[in-house]
Amino acid sequence: PSGAYVTITLEGVPSSAYASLSSNAIIAAVSLLPHENKVSVLHMGFSSSSSQTSSNRSEYDKEIPVKSKDALTFRCGWRTWSSRPIFSQNNLNSDKHKFERYMPTGGAFFAG
C-alpha cells in the first residue's frame, strides 16, 4: 500500500559495492505494475538538436539516416525499452500526421 515501509534485503552484493556509495546517493527499487506486461502504443514528440551544424562536422562525423521502423533503444527516467518507431510530421492543427520514411534532421517530429 502507498506510504508503507518495507525492508529490502540484497543478496549476493559485496559489501565493498555498498561502501562505495556516497552518503547522499539515491537507491531506487522499482517494479512493473500488474498491467505493464503487455505491448502498448506510445506517441512521443521530439525535436532535433541543432548544436552541430554541417559546417563544423568532420568528414568522419557524417549523419547516418535513421529509417522508420529501425530498432531503437529509448530511455525515459529509469525505464529503458527497445522499439521500432514510425516517424511522422509534427502537425498539431490536424488529426492526421504525414508518415516520414526517415527521422527528420531538423525541427520537431513525432514517433509512435
Side-chain angles (χ1 to χ4, degrees):
S2 177
Y5 287 94
V6 297
T7 301
I8 298 174
T9 304
L10 300 177
E11 295 179 357
V13 178
S15 58
S16 61
Y18 180 76
S20 66
L21 291 174
S22 69
S23 60
N24 58 356
I26 297 174
I27 300 174
V30 296
S31 69
L32 295 176
L33 297 173
H35 67 278
E36 292 183 317
N37 60 1
K38 297 182 181 173
V39 176
S40 64
V41 176
L42 181 66
H43 297 276
M44 301 176 78
F46 294 96
S47 66
S48 58
S49 172
S50 61
S51 63
Q52 194 174 32
T53 61
S54 59
S55 62
N56 64 3
R57 284 192 190 119
S58 70
E59 63 181 277
Y60 302 106
D61 188 25
K62 297 187 179 182
E63 283 191 20
I64 299 172
V66 178
K67 286 183 171 181
S68 277
K69 300 182 183 177
D70 274 356
L72 297 176
T73 301
F74 292 91
R75 180 168 292 164
C76 185
W78 50 268
R79 295 201 179 199
T80 302
W81 67 95
S82 294
S83 178
R84 294 180 176 270
I86 297 173
F87 302 116
S88 63
Q89 288 182 347
N90 181 14
N91 186 357
L92 297 176
N93 296 327
S94 177
D95 61 343
K96 296 177 181 160
H97 302 283
K98 182 181 173 192
F99 171 76
E100 297 282 351
R101 290 179 189 250
Y102 296 94
M103 183 174 70
T105 57
F109 60 94
F110 282 106

